[in-house]
Amino acid sequence: MRMKNKRLLLSAACCLAINFHLVAQTVTTHSYMARGATSAFGRSTMTGIDSKNLKERGFCWSSETNEPTVDKDAHTTKTLSQEGTIYHIEGLTPATVYYMRAYALMKDSTAYYGNTVKVITIPKGSISWSYNNGGPEADNKRINAAVKEAVEYLNEYTSISGFHTTVNYGAQTPTADCSYGGWMRVGPNASYQRTGTILHELLHGIGVGTHGVWNSNSPLRANGSSGTWLGDRVTEFIRFWDNNASSTLTGDGTHMWPYGINGAHEDSGSKLLYMGCSMIAQALGEDGLPPTGGFGTPAYVLNQEDTIKYYLKSESPDGGLTDSYLRQSKLKRLAWEQMTAEEAALNDSAAWYITFNPKTRYYQFRNAATGHYMTYYGTGASGFRLTDKGVALSNESFHLMRSRVDVDFGGSSIEGLRGYWIIHPENKQNPTCMTVSVRGLTTTGTFDLSNDAVKQRWLIVTANELKSLEEASQKAAKNNLDEAIKQLKELMQVPHIENIPGTDEAMSTFITDIEEKELDKMSAGEIGILATAANDSCFSFLSKVSPADSATPFDLTHLIKNAGMDSGEGWSTAPAINYSCGEFYQKTFDMYQTLQGLPAGTYELCAQGFQRPGSSADSYNAYIAGNDEVVAYLYAGTKSVKLKHIASEARTTKIGTGNESAVGNPVRYMPNDMQATSRYFLRQLYENSVMTELKAKGNLKIGLRNSSAASNYWTIFDNFRLYYYGSLSPEEVAGIEQPIIRPNTPEALFATPADVYSITGICVRRQATSLDGLPRGFYIVKGRKVIVK
């Protein structure tokens, strides 16, 4: 009996050990699936499934149920070999909602299913074409076949409509070319009379290399006019197609790669290459590259369900990002109102049902409390409002475009949380979109594709996401408050003179009061009010003091967004960025930002930078001959200073990093690329400074501008800084004179009576003992220049 029990125990222990090491049998559907008009593509993985017992793998789908099965619904095992295995789903209906998932069917008929992915096929494209048959018969035959097949690919994998390509035989054309809009020439070289060539040229026809969104300081390009494409739709597709989480689309001002088929040598004739090229064409339009001269391509970008309530918030900190929600107000107006996450979840006037029309690819918003649809009425304060129409028509349909950057709560964010432009469909590059306005209302704005256009973007979240959103807002509000208090403390530590007695004491009391508050018990809105007050106190403090001397001004560089040129965000025009420098090459520009609500006083804007007005040799030779041809200026307010000439700080020895030009005799060295320039800047070379004065509290526009796009004109810059000198005048800061003399202040100058002269030498007071009562300005006392504030 004991032996039998022992065997049973050993058997049970072995079973436990085996079960402990068992891996769950799972199938995973990759979350991204590509789609065309009548087909879709998916990837999947299996875990813990013994391939010896596997009968088949594939995808099943349905337009009726979100849990399709292999025995009741359509399914396929067809695969393509594209950086691994892709399942190819065919025979779909255009502009239709499908639910798809991967499956693994075992030999014993057991089926394992992956997660369901909602896939909406696109409307079939309607690109048309014509060819003039202007070449030899054999050439005409090849060109006709190539154009026909290329257009068929685009009509299957894009929804482009209203586009016609006119193809001409170009006897003198070496390869092929095409302009925006589709006017194309194909030459006699047979290797370019192929499908891949035509697809490449049609990319030019829809904007690649031919439209400003591709190559003109575009916010969709990493370097403004070249480099990585920053649109999510392209990036998501190419990472799926490459099966590589770090793949990106890149290119110069004219071409793209990969899948750009930039020449006969890249045309393998592969169906997968042509599919990839075509689906990128669709994704480029969805990211904002207009394929037909109007606006970008609408798409299913917000993954919604018709029966779920959604909540809208402005992405703008000034529009209630941290504490307000969009709701229907009286008179069918749209208003953003302050409320907690709990209050919003209980308030159906702040809840919205969102639907999507697969045929138009536009969204509709219906208020959960009233059933009224959001509608476009016209431009202005009532441009977006509510209507009691029972059916959503064209004015109730909106093009959504997703932001490329996570929402910034002021130093913190929720990964993947993006805002959306809500756009009235219009056939123009800058249509009207809903914009947050003052006093809790909305208005219309002209579409702005930049990352900074937060007033035009809206968060769209579910009830389950409201709490995490509120927590992120509260954390951000605390961070903003901490940063504001830190800035105020740092300003107070700068040696200074109180223009208004008691300023320091009042600021110290203010800081103590805030630090004693129980912030954990306060809402994000309440903390935000304190942060605003703290920021206002920084400017209030500055308006009531002056630096002890011009050598120790107040540093306000933190007010400049991306002062170190780590990106172009915050600036009106994005330069090319590399090695933490910004540059413009052969371009006119005005790159600026406006700092608001600054106190009156004197400011100094500094930056490192230079312009090379021409080639290295020509610009150096002109400079040493006395011709400074620089036309780039650093400016602050109404004051400006010419940017340094590249030759002004040429070196006798190389830095040794990057590319440097050797010029002149004896030889001097100057930077010739961004890497070398960054090293020159690290050596504190090419410093520029401009001084300006605000007579009253107001805004200050700072930046760089250049008026020449001539050949080889190169402008490069970094390290912007802003300093505040309070009531010290620009002349005094620049070293005209010390010290400051104020009325009613005892001064050694008047230990004995002295005559006071104006700056022009006129005696304005004889045998004076003070400057009391004299107007503001410069005077001469005992041979010294002094100033009355």
Side-chain angles (χ1 to χ4, degrees):
M1 188 68 179
R2 289 179 179 175
M3 183 62 70
K4 184 177 179 181
N5 288 340
K6 187 175 182 180
R7 288 196 188 103
L8 288 171
L9 289 170
L10 286 171
S11 177
C14 289
C15 288
L16 287 170
I18 291 170
N19 289 335
F20 183 80
H21 290 93
L22 283 178
V23 178
Q25 296 168 307
T26 60
V27 174
T28 301
T29 312
H30 289 201
S31 60
Y32 179 88
M33 293 186 67
R35 83 289 189 238
T38 65
S39 58
F41 305 86
R43 294 185 187 269
S44 69
T45 53
M46 296 190 314
T47 305
I49 295 176
D50 188 348
S51 60
K52 291 184 294 184
N53 298 322
L54 181 66
K55 180 180 180 181
E56 66 181 46
R57 290 179 63 184
F59 269 72
C60 56
W61 66 92
S62 171
S63 61
E64 303 295 332
T65 175
N66 60 6
E67 292 187 347
T69 60
V70 69
D71 57 327
K72 295 181 180 180
D73 299 296
H75 59 280
T76 187
T77 59
K78 182 176 181 179
T79 60
L80 302 172
S81 180
Q82 170 63 19
E83 302 297 338
T85 299
I86 290 180
Y87 288 87
H88 190 188
I89 301 161
E90 300 177 288
L92 306 177
T93 302
T96 302
V97 178
Y98 288 96
Y99 298 94
M100 302 181 175
R101 59 178 177 173
Y103 72 86
L105 183 63
M106 311 306 291
K107 292 177 181 178
D108 65 0
S109 297
T110 300
Y112 297 96
Y113 294 97
N115 47 296
T116 299
V117 175
K118 186 178 182 180
V119 177
I120 302 181
T121 53
I122 60 175
K124 199 171 181 66
S126 59
I127 297 172
S128 58
W129 64 280
S130 60
Y131 171 54
N132 70 353
N133 288 292
E137 182 178 353
D139 287 3
N140 290 340
K141 183 177 180 180
R142 281 191 294 268
I143 293 170
N144 273 294
V147 177
K148 179 177 181 294
E149 186 174 34
V151 169
E152 286 174 349
Y153 270 103
L154 289 177
N155 281 337
E156 165 58 27
Y157 297 111
T158 81
S159 58
I160 297 172
S161 63
F163 180 89
H164 179 86
T165 182
T166 302
V167 185
N168 303 274
Y169 188 79
Q172 307 303 317
T173 304
T175 56
D177 54 42
C178 186
S179 61
Y180 185 67
W183 195 90
M184 187 188 306
R185 293 184 303 187
V186 182
N189 187 333
S191 62
Y192 282 88
Q193 299 168 354
R194 301 177 62 192
T195 301
T197 296
I198 304 302
L199 280 172
H200 170 87
E201 298 306 333
L202 286 172
L203 287 175
H204 292 316
I206 63 171
V208 174
T210 55
H211 193 283
V213 173
W214 179 267
N215 59 13
S216 182
N217 291 323
S218 170
L220 284 167
R221 304 300 300 280
N223 295 325
S225 301
S226 62
T228 303
W229 179 263
L230 302 177
D232 280 345
R233 305 295 287 183
V234 168
T235 301
E236 288 169 345
F237 168 75
I238 205 167
R239 289 180 178 178
F240 166 81
W241 207 242
D242 278 358
N243 200 20
N244 185 332
S246 61
S247 289
T248 57
L249 184 77
T250 189
D252 52 24
T254 306
H255 303 102
M256 71 176 205
W257 52 84
Y259 307 108
I261 319 177
N262 304 298
H265 63 288
E266 292 187 14
D267 188 359
S268 64
S270 163
K271 180 180 180 180
L272 290 164
L273 174 63
Y274 298 161
M275 287 176 173
C277 178
S278 300
M279 283 186 273
I280 287 174
Q282 173 71 9
L284 285 168
E286 294 172 359
D287 277 331
L289 181 67
T292 57
F295 192 60
T297 306
Y300 185 65
V301 295
L302 170 69
N303 190 9
Q304 50 68 240
E305 294 297 337
D306 295 357
T307 58
I308 292 178
K309 293 177 183 178
Y310 294 90
Y311 300 82
L312 276 64
K313 296 169 69 70
S314 170
E315 192 179 325
S316 169
D318 298 328
L321 168 63
T322 60
D323 60 4
S324 299
Y325 295 85
L326 189 72
R327 64 180 293 268
Q328 177 171 344
S329 68
K330 296 178 181 179
L331 303 177
K332 300 177 185 177
R333 297 288 297 272
L334 287 167
W336 46 279
E337 184 176 302
Q338 192 175 70
M339 59 183 81
T340 65
E342 184 178 3
E343 290 169 340
L346 296 173
N347 187 345
D348 270 357
S349 70
W352 303 86
Y353 291 109
I354 302 176
T355 52
F356 178 77
N357 186 330
K359 291 182 172 56
T360 63
R361 291 150 294 154
Y362 296 139
Y363 289 83
Q364 303 78 40
F365 295 78
R366 182 168 57 88
N367 189 262
T370 65
H372 294 166
Y373 280 99
M374 186 186 298
T375 187
Y376 176 73
Y377 187 77
T379 58
S382 298
F384 287 83
R385 56 188 308 176
L386 281 299
T387 178
D388 55 6
K389 291 179 183 177
V391 179
L393 301 177
S394 59
N395 277 349
E396 289 73 59
S397 297
F398 300 99
H399 180 160
L400 292 194
M401 184 176 286
R402 188 170 182 251
S403 170
R404 298 172 298 277
V405 293
D406 291 346
V407 175
D408 181 6
F409 287 95
S412 66
S413 62
I414 300 174
E415 185 176 359
L417 180 64
R418 305 283 179 86
Y420 294 82
W421 283 274
I422 301 177
I423 306 161
H424 176 241
E426 299 171 52
N427 189 35
K428 59 184 183 181
Q429 188 171 341
N430 296 299
T432 304
C433 60
M434 188 166 76
T435 303
V436 73
S437 183
V438 296
R439 298 186 299 277
L441 300 176
T442 65
T443 187
T444 57
T446 301
F447 175 77
D448 179 356
L449 185 58
S450 72
N451 292 336
D452 289 333
V454 293
K455 289 186 177 181
Q456 296 186 352
R457 295 197 297 265
W458 300 85
L459 279 69
I460 304 174
V461 297
T462 65
N464 292 334
E465 296 171 307
L466 293 179
K467 191 62 179 176
S468 60
L469 209 63
E470 188 168 69
E471 290 171 353
S473 297
Q474 188 179 45
K475 179 181 178 182
K478 288 181 180 178
N479 289 341
N480 289 339
L481 178 58
D482 289 343
E483 183 62 25
I485 293 298
K486 175 186 173 185
Q487 292 295 342
L488 180 54
K489 287 180 177 179
E490 289 180 353
L491 291 173
M492 292 178 66
Q493 289 173 2
V494 174
H496 60 272
I497 299 168
E498 291 185 336
N499 295 334
I500 297 179
T503 297
D504 286 348
E505 183 180 356
M507 291 297 111
S508 296
T509 300
F510 172 77
I511 292 171
T512 300
D513 287 345
I514 286 183
E515 291 179 336
E516 289 178 350
K517 292 185 182 297
E518 298 184 61
L519 299 181
D520 290 336
K521 297 180 180 180
M522 300 176 69
S523 69
E526 291 169 333
I527 300 172
I529 292 172
L530 292 178
T532 299
N535 281 314
D536 290 344
S537 292
C538 289
F539 288 161
S540 175
F541 170 76
L542 291 173
S543 69
K544 298 173 183 177
V545 298
S546 292
D549 60 68
S550 60
T552 56
F554 296 104
D555 188 345
L556 301 186
T557 302
H558 65 278
L559 299 177
I560 304 175
K561 190 169 184 180
N562 280 310
M565 301 313 301
D566 294 317
S567 80
E569 287 187 45
W571 296 97
S572 61
T573 300
I577 303 286
N578 213 343
Y579 295 98
S580 192
C581 297
E583 71 167 11
F584 291 99
Y585 183 66
Q586 297 183 163
K587 288 182 180 177
T588 60
F589 63 87
D590 185 2
M591 187 193 82
Y592 64 86
Q593 52 187 277
T594 301
L595 309 180
Q596 299 184 338
L598 299 183
T602 298
Y603 293 85
E604 181 184 21
L605 177 67
C606 301
Q608 288 179 277
F610 60 76
Q611 185 172 70
R612 186 189 67 197
S615 69
S616 294
D618 289 347
S619 62
Y620 179 81
N621 291 335
Y623 182 78
I624 62 174
N627 299 319
D628 184 345
E629 297 170 336
V630 166
V631 289
Y633 287 83
L634 177 72
Y635 68 88
T638 60
K639 304 296 183 180
S640 63
V641 64
K642 187 181 286 190
L643 207 61
K644 286 198 172 178
H645 193 293
I646 188 173
S648 65
E649 299 190 18
R651 294 171 52 85
T652 57
T653 59
K654 279 188 173 185
I655 290 278
T657 301
N659 187 5
E660 296 173 82
S661 296
V663 294
N665 184 16
V667 173
R668 295 291 185 270
Y669 297 96
M670 305 187 306
N672 197 38
D673 65 9
M674 298 184 83
Q675 184 180 16
T677 300
S678 69
R679 283 297 193 181
Y680 275 65
F681 287 167
L682 283 174
R683 300 287 180 92
Q684 307 301 313
L685 298 173
Y686 298 110
E687 284 284 357
N688 303 266
S689 169
V690 60
M691 198 82 64
T692 193
E693 189 175 14
L694 284 180
K695 296 296 186 182
K697 178 182 178 180
N699 302 337
L700 180 64
K701 183 178 177 181
I702 61 171
L704 275 171
R705 61 174 179 263
N706 172 54
S707 59
S708 177
S711 178
N712 290 311
Y713 265 59
W714 178 38
T715 310
I716 185 165
F717 41 85
D718 194 9
N719 300 322
F720 286 83
R721 284 144 287 149
L722 182 67
Y723 300 106
Y724 178 64
Y725 293 88
S727 57
L728 298 178
S729 69
E731 295 81 5
E732 187 175 0
V733 174
I736 287 181
E737 192 49 60
Q738 301 283 343
I740 302 172
I741 304 297
R742 292 182 176 80
N744 303 316
T745 301
E747 173 60 49
L749 281 176
F750 295 102
T752 58
D755 293 344
V756 180
Y757 294 86
S758 71
I759 200 71
T760 58
I762 299 174
C763 183
V764 296
R765 183 174 291 177
R766 293 190 180 278
Q767 296 299 296
T769 57
S770 75
L771 297 175
D772 294 357
L774 288 175
R776 290 180 56 175
F778 287 97
Y779 299 89
I780 298 174
V781 180
K782 295 182 178 178
R784 298 178 61 183
K785 293 189 185 76
V786 295
I787 185 172
V788 172
K789 295 292 187 180

